[in-house]
């Protein structure tokens, strides 16, 4: 074995940097060749960029970048930092950014979803005027999300969050001839602005109470008791931060934008927002609350266990999302609300944290977000396929689609049953771990029993509306009076859907390593 | 030696492969999949013999292949974890059983060529596939090294017999018989499953063998006087043992769960041979032998086994006396003979019970295949009153069948005599020490007479006298594939007794007790699974009338005398050119016997008047209360869903307002809880 080639530490940021670079390449292409609709080149560049980001993130993960311990990772050709001896998390720019296992984990999620969306958009956005803008905005948003995974200071978090949000607003509204799209974009932007305001206010309060923006520094101030005098201020600041994250993760009551934005946006963008953007929201949520506000010391200062906030949010979010989804007639809207419901599930990861444990449940939430990245993206892309064929938006319009597209409909069944958490699909395992995690934590805080019960009730309810869709495509007969004219078979959309379906299934046998990785990542942030 | 043990899984997997091959390609193969089955079972037989040779040269083997679940559940005795595994346990008992099962399965496959293929049956690939699966299940059951694996394959055996009994599913009776077999044995298996769970929860292990076995753990618990689940250790062992025994009683067709077996004659006769001799029915008794160390800990359980066995032996034998269908007679003889095995095991006669299991496998397979040959000869006629005179038309069938009959009746020197005599001897010496067992012995002894009678009634009606129908006058010829299995088994029925001539040893000192040595681990095997280890545990003492020799002679004389008496009585009544149905003379007793003591009637009555109302009540509860709750939940959910949807008005200012209100509520709640506003 030759000695591994060691890259400088900043290279650990390669996944977001590659995304940013790709966005810039697209911009450059657009400025040289404006109004180009050369889709193969544009989509190709975007896909290559996303895949490059994915490959580097996976590579770093395998090489043990940012992992603790000398045995972390395999011997690979080149590594970042001195990971063979185990350097732990790589701090960059004075701790403003950090690359550790959790960051890489979410960079993978973001990159995978971006790649899928870019592939699917090739067909979906055919005949659209703003091709280069579309892909470069997509990549910019992805850069923001990828950076969110690594952000380690309230200021970088805010910048990254806005970097992710601003292109998203534009992307939702990119179908400029479509009233729904434009309206949804505006609503999204307004709610986003409001949430950002609350978020920034929260940042300022936390800064006021602790005098720091860098997360470890905040934790240190809290631990040393220097923030004791400002307990109320700090508490308000923390709740306001939660507000900002709740917007990004589409949690109740900051979820109002989601149904409209997902419905109005092009389907691949809906997939992108509901999977990658949500995951990115969660990663900073996890990081801020595990790093800056360690449970024990923070409770001592603010006089309140902040998991209570997440218990409330988790229960309310799950319930509102699933109940609102139950009777929707519009498929995309149903998926939008189900996506709100899933945010509630992932919130259990923080709700069930305890002073001396929680790796398992936090890891479970991370796993859930990974699996969700495939199954939910796939589901939205199926909607994109239906829109591509122009079959309409309601459940009734989907009746009998299986006769036309059995393969895609089989994939849809996989997504739906996985989303509902039915074995043997990936969604079952992550939900199962969340459930057991909540039950374990219930010994310390019996309110978690309520969370676990809500999880079960909502999962049961969700099976109702997910299976409705499966029934529509597989069992119900199409309305014979409809003379549907299907276009061809869009290769890109199909490829993305099938890949997502395969991953949803394959994640089951692969769940051992994935679970280990997620739990490792979770315990690393919990310890630090 | 190691090679033999490493190849052991192949014994099991070969028939499974045959199952797959026959199922998928049977239609395209010559003989419709029979060849795959024959090759596979022949391979299994050879490998089984190889394993047997390895055990005979001092080997034994236990290996866990696959742990499919492991958990941290503390058992009642304090074992912190439990594992559920698939593994093999190759010791004298399982090696012997492997040979028996694969031999019978092989012969049945060969015989099927004559019975099924040559007779132009349809659905043969399905038939051979199911035979393969059946053999696979039984072999896997035999080599199981733990109780749960045994249970799983026990169930699979039950499933396969369901499939095979119902092979002619287009008739009316076959599916019904198959269902009955399935349901009745399932009723017993329900208790078996409870027993498995109870044993697992109590001892934290389900292994049959070794220091970590539940047998060893149970022995330890009894020695330490532990209390398990509120019972004394011995009582608890009795309870769990009896729960497992529920499965045995169902599968081995012991009273009161024997009712499925006569109906199971609806399946092809080859299947009956396999079920009765080597698989389904044998599985129950084999299980008792497999975990004999556990039963040996509990005198109560042993006593119950002995009495169930003795009673069943007599009870079934009396019913066999009045049957007219040749297969029905054999069916009741099976129930009766398994009763003997249970009796033998119940009085601590481990070797005697296993010996009879082995001999019975040979002679009962022989008799069933012989009956199958008769059925072929008779153009598918099974009523013995329409037969007669086949002796001269088909001498090979006759003489082999006669060998089987002599073995079944227990006439010296045929194999059945030796094992039955040993069982009765074991029963009487225990009975002399503990008189209550004399009752069990008496039932077993009385059954000998009936056995001799019905066996020879069957032989005389079938083969002797004048032909009583056109078919009997002009029988259908049978070919080599029918004769070969008959001859093989005929020889075995005659000579298999040599394996254990215990009386000869006791009288002359000649050590012709190979089976006892074999099961005692003198060639190879685990020390805790030997006859002498069990003998130390079995809590019964023995006594003799005068000396051992005198007791032996009395017991053997009584047994043989009664058997010959029964046979002679049958000869007097039926070995005439034109036999009369003398059963008419029994009067009302005949009605009772022909109605099988109204066993079916009372079980149907129980089902109709107890289970059905109970099920109706449960159904009503389910329909009203449970469904009511479920429907209520769903309407509440849908109503709530409608309300939730209204939150989304489509007006962005409303959203902003709701967002802020929601956020402030959260803020205030948390602020008050945290005391931030003071």
């Amino acid at each position: 074995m030759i000695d591994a080639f060691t890259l400088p530490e900043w290279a650990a940021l390669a996944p977001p940097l590659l995304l940013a670079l790709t966005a810039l390449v697209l911009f450059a292409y657009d400025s040289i060749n404006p109004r180009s609709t050369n889709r193969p080149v544009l989509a190709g560049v975007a896909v290559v960029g996303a895949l490059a980001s994915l490959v580097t993130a996976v590579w770093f993960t395998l090489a043990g970048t940012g992992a603790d311990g000398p045995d972390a990772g395999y011997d690979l050709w080149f590594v970042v930092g001195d990971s063979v001896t185990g350097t732990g998390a790589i701090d960059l720019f004075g701790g403003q950014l950090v690359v550790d296992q959790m960051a890489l984990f979410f960079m993978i999620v973001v990159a995978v979803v971006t790649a899928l969306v870019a592939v699917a958009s090739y067909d979906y956005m055919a005949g659209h005027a703003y091709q280069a803008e579309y892909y470069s905005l997509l990549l910019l948003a992805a850069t923001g999300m990828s950076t969110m995974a690594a952000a380690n200071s309230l200021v970088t978090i805010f910048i990254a969050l806005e970097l992710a949000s601003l292109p998203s607003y534009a992307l939702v509204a990119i179908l400029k001839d479509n009233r729904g799209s434009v309206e949804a974009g505006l609503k999204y932007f307004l709610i986003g602005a409001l949430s950002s305001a609350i978020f920034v206010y929260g940042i300022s309060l936390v800064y006021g109470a602790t005098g720091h923006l860098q997360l470890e520094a905040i934790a240190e101030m809290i631990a040393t008791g220097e923030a004791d005098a400002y307990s109320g201020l700090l508490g308000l600041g923390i709740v306001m931060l939660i507000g900002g994250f709740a917007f990004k993760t589409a949690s109740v009551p900051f979820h109002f934008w989601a149904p409209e934005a997902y419905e109005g946006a092009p389907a691949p963008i809906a997939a992108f927002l509901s999977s990658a953007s949500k995951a990115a929201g969660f990663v900073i949520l996890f990081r801020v609350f595990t790093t800056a506000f360690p449970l024990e010391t923070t409770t001592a200062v603010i006089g309140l266990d902040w998991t209570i906030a997440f218990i409330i949010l988790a229960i309310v979010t799950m319930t509102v999302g699933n109940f609102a989804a139950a009777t929707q007639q519009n498929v995309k809207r149903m998926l939008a609300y189900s996506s709100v419901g899933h945010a509630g599930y992932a919130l259990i990861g923080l709700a069930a944290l305890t002073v001396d444990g929680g790796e398992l449940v936090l890891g479970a939430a991370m796993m859930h977000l990974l699996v969700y990245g495939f199954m939910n993206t796939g589901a939205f892309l199926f909607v994109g396929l239906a829109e591509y064929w122009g079959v309409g938006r309601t459940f009734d319009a989907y009746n009998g689609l299986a006769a036309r597209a059995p393969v895609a409909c089989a994939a849809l069944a996989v997504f739906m049953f996985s989303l509902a958490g039915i074995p043997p699909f990936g969604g079952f395992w992550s939900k199962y771990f969340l459930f057991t995690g909540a039950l374990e934590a219930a010994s310390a805080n019996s309110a978690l029993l309520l969370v676990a019960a809500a999880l079960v009730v909502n999962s049961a309810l969700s099976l109702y509306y997910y299976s409705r869709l499966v029934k529509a495509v597989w069992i119900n007969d199409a309305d014979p009076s409809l003379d549907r004219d299907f276009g061809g078979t869009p290769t890109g959309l199909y490829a993305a859907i099938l890949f997502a379906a395969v991953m949803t299934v394959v994640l089951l046998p692969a769940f051992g390593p994935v679970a280990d990785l997620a739990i490792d990542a979770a315990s690393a942030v919990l310890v630090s | 030696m190691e090679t033999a043990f490493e190849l052991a899984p192949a014994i099991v997997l070969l028939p499974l492969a045959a199952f797959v091959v026959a199922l998928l390609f049977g239609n395209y193969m010559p003989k419709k999949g029979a060849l795959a089955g024959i090759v596979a079972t022949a391979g299994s037989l050879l490998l089984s013999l190889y394993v047997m040779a390895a055990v005979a040269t001092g080997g034994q083997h236990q290996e866990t292949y696959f742990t499919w679940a492991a958990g941290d559940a503390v058992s009642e005795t304090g074992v912190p974890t439990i594992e559920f595994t698939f593994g093999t346990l190759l010791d004298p008992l399982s090696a012997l059983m492997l040979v028996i099962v694969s031999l019978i399965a092989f012969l049945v496959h060969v015989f099927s060529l004559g019975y099924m293929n040559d007779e132009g049956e349809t659905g043969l690939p399905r038939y051979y596939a199911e035979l393969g699966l059946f053999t696979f299940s039984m072999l896997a059951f035999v080599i199981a090294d733990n109780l749960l694996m045994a249970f799983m394959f026990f169930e699979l055996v039950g499933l396969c017999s369901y499939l095979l009994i119902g092979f002619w599913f287009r008739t009316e009776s076959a599916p019904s018989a198959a269902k009955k077999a399935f349901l009745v044995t399932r009723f017993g298996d329900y208790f078996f499953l409870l027993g498995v769970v109870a044993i697992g929860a109590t001892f934290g292990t389900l292994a049959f063998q070794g220091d970590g076995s539940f047998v060893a753990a149970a022995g330890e618990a009894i020695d330490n006087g532990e209390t398990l689940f509120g019972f004394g250790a011995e009582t608890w062992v009795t309870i769990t043992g009896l729960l497992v025994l529920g499965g045995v009683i169902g599968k081995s067709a012991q009273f009161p769960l024997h009712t499925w077996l006569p109906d199971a004659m609806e399946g092809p006769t080859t299947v009956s041979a396999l079920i009765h001799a080597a698989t389904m029915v044998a599985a129950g008794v084999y299980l008792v032998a497999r975990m004999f160390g556990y039963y040996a800990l509990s005198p109560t359980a042993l006593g119950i086994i002995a009495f169930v066995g003795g009673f069943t032996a007599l009870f079934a034998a009396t019913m066999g006396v009045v049957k007219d269908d040749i297969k029905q007679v054999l069916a009741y003889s099976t129930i009766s003979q398994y009763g003997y095995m249970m009796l033998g095991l119940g009085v601590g006669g481990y070797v005697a019970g296993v010996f009879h299991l082995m001999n019975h496998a040979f002679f009962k397979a022989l008799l069933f295949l012989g009956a199958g040959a008769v059925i072929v000869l008779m153009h598918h006629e099974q009523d013995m009153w329409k037969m007669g005179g086949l002796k001269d038309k088909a001498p090979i069938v006759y003489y082999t069948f006669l060998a089987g009959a002599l073995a079944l009746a227990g006439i010296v020197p045929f194999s059945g005599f030796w094992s039955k005599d040993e069982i009765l001897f074991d029963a009487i010496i225990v009975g002399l020490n503990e008189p209550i067992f004399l009752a069990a012995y008496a039932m077993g002894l009385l059954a000998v007479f009936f056995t001799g009678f019905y066996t020879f009634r069957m032989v005389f009606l079938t083969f002797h006298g004048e032909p009583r129908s056109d078919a009997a006058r002009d029988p259908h010829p049978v070919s080599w594939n029918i004769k070969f299995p008959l001859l093989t088994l005929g020889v075995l029925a005659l000579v298999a007794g040599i394996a254990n001539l215990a009386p000869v040893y006791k009288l002359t000192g000649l050590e012709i007790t190979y089976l006892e040595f074999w099961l005692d681990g003198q060639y190879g095997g685990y020390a805790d699974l030997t006859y002498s280890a069990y003998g130390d545990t079995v809590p019964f003492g023995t006594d003799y009338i005068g000396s051992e020799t005198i007791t032996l002679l009395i017991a053997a004389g009584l047994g043989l005398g009664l058997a010959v008496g029964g046979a002679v009585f049958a000869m007097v009544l039926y070995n005439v050119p034109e036999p009369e149905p003398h059963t008419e003379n029994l009067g009302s007793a005949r009605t009772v016997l022909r109605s099988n003591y109204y066993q079916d009637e009372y079980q149907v009555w129980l089902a109709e008047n107890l289970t059905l109302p109970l099920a109706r009540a449960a159904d009503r509860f389910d329909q009203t209360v449970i469904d009511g709750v479920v429907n209520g939940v769903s309407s509440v959910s849908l109503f709530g869903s409608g309300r939730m949807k209204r939150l989304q008005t489509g007006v962005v200012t409303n959203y902003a307002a709701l967002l802020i209100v929601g956020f402030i509520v959260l803020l205030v709640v948390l602020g008050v809880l945290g005391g931030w506003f003071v």
Side-chain angles (χ1 to χ4, degrees):
Chain A
M1 177 75 207
I2 53 164
D3 281 342
F5 177 69
T6 306
L7 292 176
E9 286 203 332
W10 62 265
L13 280 178
L17 287 176
L18 284 168
L19 290 172
L21 183 70
T22 314
L24 292 176
V25 167
L26 288 165
F27 264 137
Y29 182 88
D30 191 40
S31 35
I32 296 164
N33 189 6
R35 299 188 196 288
S36 162
T37 51
N38 190 347
R39 292 186 299 127
V41 169
L42 292 166
V45 170
V47 172
V48 167
L51 287 181
S53 170
L54 175 64
V55 167
T56 41
V58 170
W59 182 288
F60 289 168
T61 307
L62 292 180
T65 302
D68 281 323
D71 297 327
Y74 304 94
D75 292 330
L76 293 180
W77 286 90
F78 64 85
V79 291
V80 177
D82 195 9
S83 73
V84 176
T85 55
T87 49
I90 297 175
D91 281 327
L92 295 161
F93 313 116
Q96 298 295 307
L97 294 170
V98 66
V99 177
D100 57 5
Q101 282 172 304
M102 184 167 85
L104 289 170
F105 187 88
F106 280 92
M107 286 172 187
I108 292 173
V109 176
V110 169
V112 164
V113 175
T114 311
L116 283 175
V117 167
V119 170
S121 301
Y122 173 77
D123 296 308
Y124 191 88
M125 299 303 286
H128 194 268
Y130 304 96
Q131 292 288 338
E133 287 87 339
Y134 176 83
Y135 287 109
S136 56
L137 285 171
L138 180 70
L139 267 296
L140 272 183
T143 310
M145 293 166 192
S146 199
T147 316
M148 279 158 86
N152 196 34
S153 141
L154 290 176
V155 72
T156 43
I157 286 170
F158 183 72
I159 294 170
L161 199 143
E162 290 304 311
L163 177 56
S165 294
L166 291 171
S168 303
Y169 305 145
L171 281 170
V172 169
I174 203 157
L175 304 173
K176 293 195 181 179
D177 306 329
N178 182 324
R179 270 192 58 143
S181 173
V182 177
E183 185 186 324
L186 186 63
K187 284 177 179 170
Y188 185 21
F189 172 67
L190 288 173
I191 303 287
L194 182 62
S195 306
S196 290
I198 295 174
F199 185 51
V200 178
Y201 196 8
I203 291 177
S204 71
L205 291 181
V206 171
Y207 181 70
T210 62
H212 284 282
L213 287 169
Q214 208 271 339
L215 300 185
E216 275 98 5
I218 294 173
E220 200 180 325
M221 294 304 285
I222 292 173
T224 53
E226 291 180 52
D228 284 358
Y230 310 105
S231 66
L233 205 59
L234 183 64
L236 288 177
I238 290 174
V239 176
M240 288 184 171
L241 290 185
I242 293 177
F245 299 136
F247 163 72
K248 210 67 199 144
T249 57
S251 305
V252 176
F254 291 78
H255 71 289
F256 286 105
W257 60 273
E260 319 248 313
Y262 295 169
E263 195 187 347
I269 294 307
F272 184 60
L273 292 182
S274 62
S275 305
S277 181
K278 191 186 294 283
F282 271 107
V283 66
I284 35 174
L285 189 59
F286 293 161
R287 189 178 299 287
V288 167
F289 278 85
T290 54
T291 308
F293 308 118
L295 201 53
E296 200 170 7
T297 51
T298 312
T299 305
V301 175
I302 63 173
L304 181 75
D305 185 341
W306 51 250
T307 57
I308 290 177
F310 292 104
I311 290 171
I312 297 172
L313 279 183
I315 294 176
V316 174
T317 305
M318 269 186 244
T319 311
V320 169
N322 283 303
F323 272 70
T327 51
Q328 294 295 339
Q329 290 307 315
N330 181 316
V331 176
K332 223 170 167 186
R333 239 178 140 78
M334 178 276 279
L335 284 176
Y337 279 111
S338 101
S339 153
V340 172
H342 279 274
Y345 301 149
L347 280 172
I348 295 177
L350 284 175
L353 278 190
T354 49
V355 171
D356 52 355
E359 297 90 355
L360 187 68
V361 74
L362 189 58
M366 290 165 62
M367 277 182 261
H368 191 66
L369 289 165
L370 174 67
V371 178
Y372 185 72
F374 291 108
M375 58 193 182
N376 183 60
T377 309
F380 271 105
L381 292 183
F382 183 87
V383 174
L385 184 66
E387 288 178 1
Y388 178 85
W389 282 330
V391 296
R393 295 171 164 252
T394 60
F395 281 80
D396 294 341
Y398 279 52
N399 282 349
L401 264 188
R404 165 68 181 82
V407 177
C409 287
L412 178 74
V414 170
F415 299 139
M416 289 298 125
F417 287 133
S418 183
L419 281 167
I422 293 197
F425 303 112
F428 165 73
W429 288 105
S430 52
K431 214 180 255 184
Y432 172 76
F433 283 125
L434 280 172
F435 181 68
T436 49
L439 284 186
E440 251 168 50
S443 59
N445 182 354
S446 49
L448 263 306
L449 283 179
L450 208 58
V451 177
L455 175 67
V456 171
V457 170
N458 280 303
S459 292
L461 179 62
S462 71
L463 183 59
Y464 162 72
Y465 59 79
Y466 288 132
S467 48
R468 248 178 90 204
L469 185 57
V470 177
K471 173 168 172 275
V473 296
W474 279 102
I475 296 175
N476 291 357
D477 289 325
D479 183 353
S481 66
L482 281 176
D483 183 23
R484 286 195 287 207
D485 175 30
F486 291 107
T489 301
T491 328
L493 267 169
Y494 255 90
I497 289 174
L498 290 186
F499 179 73
V502 167
M503 287 308 289
T504 307
V505 177
V506 168
L507 273 179
L508 173 71
F511 223 82
V514 173
D516 290 346
L517 177 63
I519 291 168
D520 274 1
S523 54
V525 291
L526 280 174
V527 167
S528 64
Chain B
M1 190 192 296
E2 284 308 309
T3 332
F5 294 135
E6 278 165 22
L7 287 173
I11 299 175
V12 176
L13 295 176
L14 277 172
L16 182 65
F19 158 68
V20 175
V21 169
L23 196 65
L24 297 180
F25 310 111
N27 259 328
Y28 313 106
M29 291 167 66
K31 302 288 181 197
K32 305 286 180 194
L35 294 180
I38 290 172
V39 169
T41 46
S44 291
L45 176 59
L46 291 176
L47 288 171
S48 301
L49 288 168
Y50 191 22
V51 166
M52 194 179 208
V55 173
T57 50
Q60 62 272 325
H61 189 69
Q62 193 275 322
E63 184 173 351
T64 299
Y65 288 99
F66 180 56
T67 303
W68 47 274
D72 303 329
V74 182
S75 75
E76 181 74 5
T77 53
V79 178
T81 57
I82 188 162
E83 282 190 346
F84 301 126
T85 58
F86 284 145
T88 60
L89 172 59
L90 297 168
D91 71 333
L93 179 66
S94 57
L96 176 66
M97 196 67 189
L98 281 179
V99 173
I100 295 173
V101 174
S102 50
L103 173 66
I104 305 285
F106 169 65
L107 294 175
V108 164
H109 271 91
V110 173
F111 191 89
S112 296
L113 285 176
Y115 193 77
M116 303 295 283
N117 290 51
D118 294 353
E119 298 290 296
E121 296 289 346
T122 52
L124 286 172
R126 179 164 57 89
Y127 172 77
Y128 286 109
E130 287 167 3
L131 272 192
L133 188 65
F134 203 4
T135 313
F136 155 72
S137 315
M138 185 64 194
L139 290 169
F141 167 74
V142 168
I143 61 166
D145 74 337
N146 65 75
L147 194 56
L148 185 62
M149 177 179 170
F151 174 75
M152 293 162 87
F153 287 101
F154 201 72
E155 291 302 285
L156 207 50
V157 167
L159 170 75
C160 293
S161 59
Y162 164 78
L163 293 171
L164 282 166
I165 292 168
F167 177 71
W168 286 311
F169 60 87
R170 287 196 177 81
T171 64
E172 200 171 314
S173 48
S176 152
K179 259 184 278 183
K180 186 171 174 185
F182 196 66
L183 289 176
V184 173
T185 56
R186 186 52 27 88
F187 182 75
D189 292 346
Y190 169 72
F191 295 101
F192 185 6
L193 179 58
L194 286 184
V196 173
V197 173
I199 288 175
T202 311
F203 303 113
T205 170
L206 291 163
F208 284 133
Q209 183 274 322
D211 292 338
S213 69
F214 62 88
V215 182
E220 218 168 276
I222 290 177
D223 291 344
N224 298 341
E226 286 177 37
T227 303
L228 301 169
F229 292 107
F231 295 96
E234 193 178 309
T235 315
W236 186 245
V237 168
T238 306
I239 292 172
T240 50
L242 290 179
L243 284 172
V244 174
L245 192 66
V248 172
I249 287 178
K251 279 277 193 299
S252 281
Q254 297 296 293
F255 176 82
L257 299 183
H258 63 279
T259 48
W260 66 270
L261 191 135
D263 290 35
M265 293 299 114
E266 289 300 327
T269 310
T270 44
V271 171
S272 303
L274 193 57
I275 286 182
H276 290 232
T279 53
M280 178 92 172
V281 191
V285 168
Y286 177 79
L287 182 66
V288 175
R290 180 75 286 174
M291 50 187 282
F292 193 69
Y294 195 71
Y295 285 113
L297 293 167
S298 161
T300 317
L302 282 181
I304 288 174
I305 292 176
F307 270 89
V308 166
F311 180 70
T312 309
L314 177 58
F315 184 71
T318 56
M319 289 187 277
V321 167
V322 297
K323 297 290 177 270
D324 295 333
D325 183 322
I326 186 169
K327 286 181 74 181
Q328 288 288 325
V329 177
L330 289 174
Y332 283 98
S333 83
T334 299
I335 300 175
S336 171
Q337 296 302 307
Y338 278 95
Y340 277 115
M341 293 172 215
M342 294 284 274
L343 173 62
L345 291 167
V347 296
Y350 174 66
V351 171
V354 175
F355 188 28
H356 200 54
L357 179 64
M358 175 181 93
N359 288 338
H360 177 263
F362 297 143
F363 68 70
K364 187 50 63 66
L366 168 62
L367 286 170
F368 263 111
L369 295 182
V374 168
I375 291 168
V376 171
L377 288 167
M378 291 295 302
H379 305 275
H380 294 269
E381 176 57 64
Q382 296 181 200
D383 187 343
M384 295 190 295
W385 290 102
K386 299 199 173 132
M387 299 177 185
L390 292 174
K391 180 164 65 113
D392 307 318
K393 309 268 172 48
I396 291 185
V397 175
Y398 171 63
Y399 285 109
T400 51
F401 197 87
L402 189 63
L406 288 165
L408 171 61
I411 311 274
V412 75
F414 288 84
S415 61
F417 166 76
W418 303 104
S419 49
K420 202 180 287 178
D421 178 63
E422 206 173 332
I423 287 173
L424 291 172
F425 177 70
D426 284 343
I428 192 174
I429 56 173
V430 170
L432 288 171
N433 185 263
E434 303 198 26
I436 184 150
F437 282 99
L438 278 180
Y441 168 72
M443 289 191 283
L445 188 65
L446 199 52
V448 171
F449 174 78
F450 287 104
T451 311
F453 180 77
Y454 70 66
T455 309
F456 280 91
R457 175 174 174 266
M458 170 175 71
V459 171
F460 293 135
L461 284 181
T462 309
F463 291 99
H464 290 238
E466 296 297 323
R468 287 182 295 275
S469 70
D470 291 342
R473 274 181 283 276
D474 178 26
H476 185 286
V478 292
S479 59
W480 69 271
N481 45 32
I482 284 185
K483 290 173 187 160
F484 163 71
L486 290 180
L487 285 171
T488 315
L489 289 166
V491 171
L492 280 170
L494 174 61
V495 304
I498 291 177
N500 211 39
L501 300 181
V504 175
Y505 165 64
K506 283 170 188 142
L507 291 175
T508 65
L510 283 175
E511 290 197 338
I512 316 177
T513 51
Y514 306 112
L515 188 74
E516 186 172 334
F517 295 152
W518 173 258
L519 289 173
D520 201 19
Q522 301 199 5
Y523 306 111
Y526 292 99
D528 57 335
L529 300 182
T530 57
Y531 182 42
S532 43
Y534 295 149
D536 293 342
T537 324
V538 171
F540 303 136
T542 53
D543 261 323
Y544 302 106
I545 308 173
S547 73
E548 186 180 9
T549 318
I550 296 174
T551 318
L552 177 79
L553 288 174
I554 290 175
L558 273 176
L560 189 59
L562 282 171
V564 172
V568 168
F569 188 40
M571 187 162 84
V572 171
L573 290 184
Y574 295 105
N575 191 15
V576 291
E578 298 291 337
E580 301 286 322
H582 293 282
T583 50
E584 307 287 349
N585 302 336
L586 290 170
S588 60
R590 174 177 180 270
T591 322
V592 174
L593 289 175
R594 285 188 76 99
S595 311
N596 306 327
Y597 296 101
Y598 303 106
Q599 290 289 304
D600 282 310
E601 279 75 6
Y602 98 79
Q603 287 180 359
V604 167
W605 185 87
L606 277 182
E608 281 179 352
N609 291 291
L610 190 72
T611 317
L612 202 59
L614 213 65
R616 285 220 182 90
D619 181 54
R620 201 163 301 131
F621 180 77
D622 186 65
Q623 296 279 345
T624 51
V625 180
I626 306 277
D627 281 13
V629 170
V630 171
N631 291 338
V633 166
S634 97
S635 18
V636 167
S637 303
L638 294 180
F639 175 76
S641 169
R643 294 284 141 148
M644 289 292 181
K645 275 202 299 196
R646 288 198 205 167
L647 281 176
Q648 202 84 15
T649 55
V651 180
V652 76
T653 43
N654 290 1
Y655 296 170
L658 281 170
L659 188 159
I660 295 293
V661 169
F663 177 64
I664 288 179
V665 168
L666 182 69
L667 199 80
V668 168
V669 168
L670 294 176
V672 170
L673 282 175
W676 302 337
F677 304 131
V678 283

